[in-house]
Amino acid sequence: MRTFIGIVVTFFIFFILIFMIKFVYVVPNNHYSILDQTGKVKLEDYPELKEVSFMYSTDLLIEFYKKIDNLELEKINFRINDEVIGTVEINKDINDLENFGQTYTANNGKKVVIRKSYPLQKEFLRILGKRNEKYKVGTGTIEGRFYIDIYIKDLKTNKTFIIKRDNISIYYESGGPKIFIPSV
């Protein structure tokens, strides 16, 4: 009888270990993710600017066909409908932002030489809440739409233009152990 109980306990422990390896994972920190489906940026004054968008990790990505002088990433506004709920003051030359990735050839055949990023995860946590408690984005309880406005200033002309990202979805994931349940 003891042998049978030992076999059952061993099998049970083995089953739990296999379950944990296959279906349990740990998210290290609370974080937000973003899905940006807003169309391409078309700025007539800056044809060398290819893209200004967000990566999944909430980092801002700026891509150029060639170096642009005198452009400054001024600030970013977070909005729900027409109300600004938070602002990130940056005031950095775009060329001084962090390099991201390697050069590649775009669909139009032009080589994208410069790819810059600006991390915003800490700002998302500050503005939306470390536990998504302020606006509960991505839960279906937020009333209205979430928008992000990116302000870029031309230091030569002192003109500021706004890039509106208006087709985005924000998701929140809390840190800690999670169970992956596959769909059938």
Side-chain angles (χ1 to χ4, degrees), residues 152-169:
I152 297 179
K153 185 176 189 175
D154 185 334
L155 298 175
K156 287 180 187 174
T157 63
N158 213 25
K159 177 182 171 187
T160 298
F161 53 94
I162 303 169
I163 298 170
K164 295 184 177 286
R165 305 310 289 182
D166 58 1
N167 190 9
I168 57 176
S169 299

Side-chain angles (χ1 to χ4, degrees), residues 73-77 87-91 149-152:
L73 180 57
E74 192 173 25
K75 67 180 180 177
I76 298 173
N77 278 345
T87 299
V88 180
E89 294 289 341
I90 300 169
N91 298 315
D149 298 333
I150 303 158
Y151 291 75
I152 297 179

Side-chain angles (χ1 to χ4, degrees), residues 72-179:
E72 178 181 81
L73 180 57
E74 192 173 25
K75 67 180 180 177
I76 298 173
N77 278 345
F78 290 69
R79 291 188 301 122
I80 295 178
N81 297 330
D82 290 329
E83 179 187 348
V84 175
I85 61 169
T87 299
V88 180
E89 294 289 341
I90 300 169
N91 298 315
K92 282 182 98 171
D93 188 303
I94 287 180
N95 294 309
D96 293 339
L97 299 177
E98 185 177 324
N99 289 325
F100 177 80
Q102 296 182 8
T103 300
Y104 70 96
T105 303
N107 291 341
N108 63 1
K110 291 184 179 180
K111 213 173 211 181
V112 174
V113 179
I114 300 168
R115 298 174 83 194
K116 299 289 186 171
S117 69
Y118 188 82
L120 289 164
Q121 188 63 237
K122 288 180 183 176
E123 300 298 338
F124 272 79
L125 290 166
R126 177 182 64 84
I127 293 168
L128 300 175
K130 293 186 182 197
R131 290 181 222 43
N132 197 24
E133 70 274 10
K134 292 182 181 178
Y135 299 97
K136 305 208 182 313
V137 295
T139 62
T141 59
I142 188 171
E143 291 187 27
R145 298 228 17 211
F146 187 81
Y147 303 99
I148 297 177
D149 298 333
I150 303 158
Y151 291 75
I152 297 179
K153 185 176 189 175
D154 185 334
L155 298 175
K156 287 180 187 174
T157 63
N158 213 25
K159 177 182 171 187
T160 298
F161 53 94
I162 303 169
I163 298 170
K164 295 184 177 286
R165 305 310 289 182
D166 58 1
N167 190 9
I168 57 176
S169 299
I170 304 287
Y171 303 98
Y172 171 77
E173 186 172 22
S174 62
K178 307 287 180 194
I179 296 176

Side-chain angles (χ1 to χ4, degrees), residues 18-69:
I18 293 298
F19 175 80
M20 288 178 63
I21 289 171
K22 292 289 186 181
F23 300 109
V24 176
Y25 63 98
V26 176
V27 175
N29 300 316
N30 297 348
H31 68 276
Y32 289 90
S33 303
I34 188 169
L35 177 60
D36 185 355
Q37 295 180 320
T38 308
K40 300 282 183 194
V41 173
K42 300 286 187 215
L43 297 173
E44 290 146 17
D45 294 343
Y46 304 97
E48 55 277 336
L49 183 64
K50 178 190 180 293
E51 184 67 45
V52 178
S53 62
F54 286 92
M55 295 186 278
Y56 181 73
S57 64
T58 69
D59 291 351
L60 179 66
L61 177 67
I62 302 173
E63 296 180 326
F64 302 95
Y65 294 118
K66 65 180 184 175
K67 186 176 179 181
I68 300 176
D69 290 325

